[in-house]
Amino acid sequence: MRPKTVLDEYEISPKKSLGQNFLHDPNTLEKIVTTAELMPDDVVLEIGAGTGLLTERLAAAARRVIAVELDERLKPVLDQALAAYPNAGVIYQDILTLDVAALFRDEPYIVVANVPYYITSAILRHLLESARRPRRLVLTVQAEVADRLVAQPPDMSILSVSVQFYGQPRVIAQLNRAVFWPRPDVDSAIVRIDTYEQPPVDVPDEKTFFRVVRAGFGQKRKQLKNAISSGLSLKADAATTLLTAAGIDPRRRAETLTLAEWAALTRAFAARTD
């Protein structure tokens, strides 16, 4: 049943403040499930259960589905939609406050989500930095964000560096705005991220890596020698020396660096003796 019909029945109106745009197109829903490549023994974390249309399909394909939904008004809708699926449960909580590592412990899981676009980056950070990160993520995101996730030099951002440090992102499909209700004001895309067991580059530790990356991107359009100097509290000549030691021209800008170059810069920073 279409979300508008269901929500009208329960006298529920979508909240723009929650970024509620409900997916209802059957072909798109099936595309998402197919992209997730679920096996009968898989466990799924769904973010944003909505009216349960995707949750039902996930529950039919996987062993267990844990859906997280912030809007408790949707409880009677989801109770009805999932009544036939004892392997699906809903947690009414903000995903950003959910302890994912405690929820899954040593159990592998896959994330499938039609996330509120205004917190996409925060959700990705919360999941990818978790002690128990998912094996795979399939997300419906704003098309502009999808492009940023898969960007390569010279168009890198702190988001693309961060996500590509943890996994390989791919844009699977562009979506017509008509597959949502209400229709969003922006274009959307399905993205799949396959996470790595170990980062693809050699760094001393994640904390130092991201400290260096944040410093590099801390001053937009600034040459790296200036951004690094400011962000890492180094003198200008020390920042130049650090970049040169990593094999990076100090005049370059953060968006031009590859993941391997960020790793080299991190190693040089960790090895400094000043």
Side-chain angles (χ1 to χ4, degrees):
M1 191 180 295
R2 294 174 71 88
K4 186 179 188 309
T5 305
V6 175
L7 295 181
D8 283 349
E9 179 183 336
Y10 286 91
E11 298 182 344
I12 299 172
S13 298
K15 283 187 176 180
K16 199 166 187 178
S17 63
L18 296 180
Q20 287 181 327
N21 300 99
F22 300 99
L23 262 173
H24 62 80
D25 176 63
N27 292 331
T28 303
L29 293 166
E30 289 302 326
K31 180 72 173 177
I32 291 170
V33 175
T34 301
T35 300
E37 291 187 11
L38 298 176
M39 302 299 289
D41 199 42
D42 280 335
V43 176
V44 177
L45 172 64
E46 184 194 10
I47 304 169
T51 60
L53 287 178
L54 180 56
T55 319
E56 293 177 70
R57 288 166 168 79
L58 295 172
R63 174 169 62 86
R64 185 159 64 100
V65 176
I66 301 171
V68 180
E69 174 56 56
L70 180 60
D71 191 352
E72 292 193 41
R73 299 179 304 158
L74 296 172
K75 188 176 187 306
V77 178
L78 289 167
D79 284 347
Q80 179 179 338
L82 303 178
Y85 298 94
N87 62 326
V90 184
I91 298 172
Y92 294 92
Q93 187 175 334
D94 183 345
I95 181 62
L96 297 180
T97 66
L98 183 68
D99 188 340
V100 178
L103 182 64
F104 291 102
R105 300 189 182 277
D106 295 328
E107 191 171 34
Y109 68 101
I110 294 168
V111 167
V112 179
N114 174 29
V115 299
Y117 290 173
Y118 69 99
I119 56 169
T120 299
S121 296
I123 289 174
L124 282 169
R125 186 166 59 249
H126 182 62
L127 294 172
L128 293 175
E129 292 180 2
S130 168
R132 288 293 305 163
R133 70 178 61 98
R135 290 193 294 119
R136 184 182 309 133
L137 302 90
V138 178
L139 311 171
T140 304
V141 302
Q142 186 175 340
E144 181 182 333
V145 173
D147 290 340
R148 288 172 59 202
L149 292 177
V150 301
Q152 295 296 313
D155 299 312
M156 299 294 279
S157 65
I158 193 166
L159 178 63
S160 55
V161 171
S162 301
V163 170
Q164 291 173 33
F165 179 80
Y166 289 115
Q168 179 185 16
R170 289 181 287 153
V171 178
I172 302 300
Q174 303 290 333
L175 299 180
N176 190 303
R177 298 183 188 188
V179 304
F180 298 93
W181 179 84
R183 291 193 184 198
D185 298 326
V186 296
D187 294 324
S188 305
I190 300 172
V191 172
R192 170 170 164 162
I193 304 170
D194 291 281
T195 60
Y196 302 122
E197 288 189 15
Q198 297 293 332
V201 291
D202 178 27
V203 296
D205 60 85
E206 292 182 16
K207 184 178 179 180
T208 304
F209 175 78
F210 284 109
R211 181 184 174 193
V212 171
V213 171
R214 282 193 297 270
F217 282 102
Q219 298 185 10
K220 290 184 178 180
R221 292 178 289 279
K222 291 282 188 179
Q223 291 185 358
L224 271 170
K225 62 182 179 182
N226 297 323
I228 290 295
S229 173
S230 174
L232 296 178
S233 301
L234 299 174
K235 292 181 179 179
D237 58 346
T240 297
T241 299
L242 182 66
L243 286 157
T244 303
I248 299 168
D249 186 334
R251 296 169 297 179
R252 287 174 63 185
R253 288 169 169 75
E255 59 269 24
T256 70
L257 265 62
T258 65
L259 204 63
E261 287 175 318
W262 282 116
L265 183 56
T266 302
R267 293 193 299 272
F269 175 67
R272 78 196 191 289
T273 57
D274 53 41

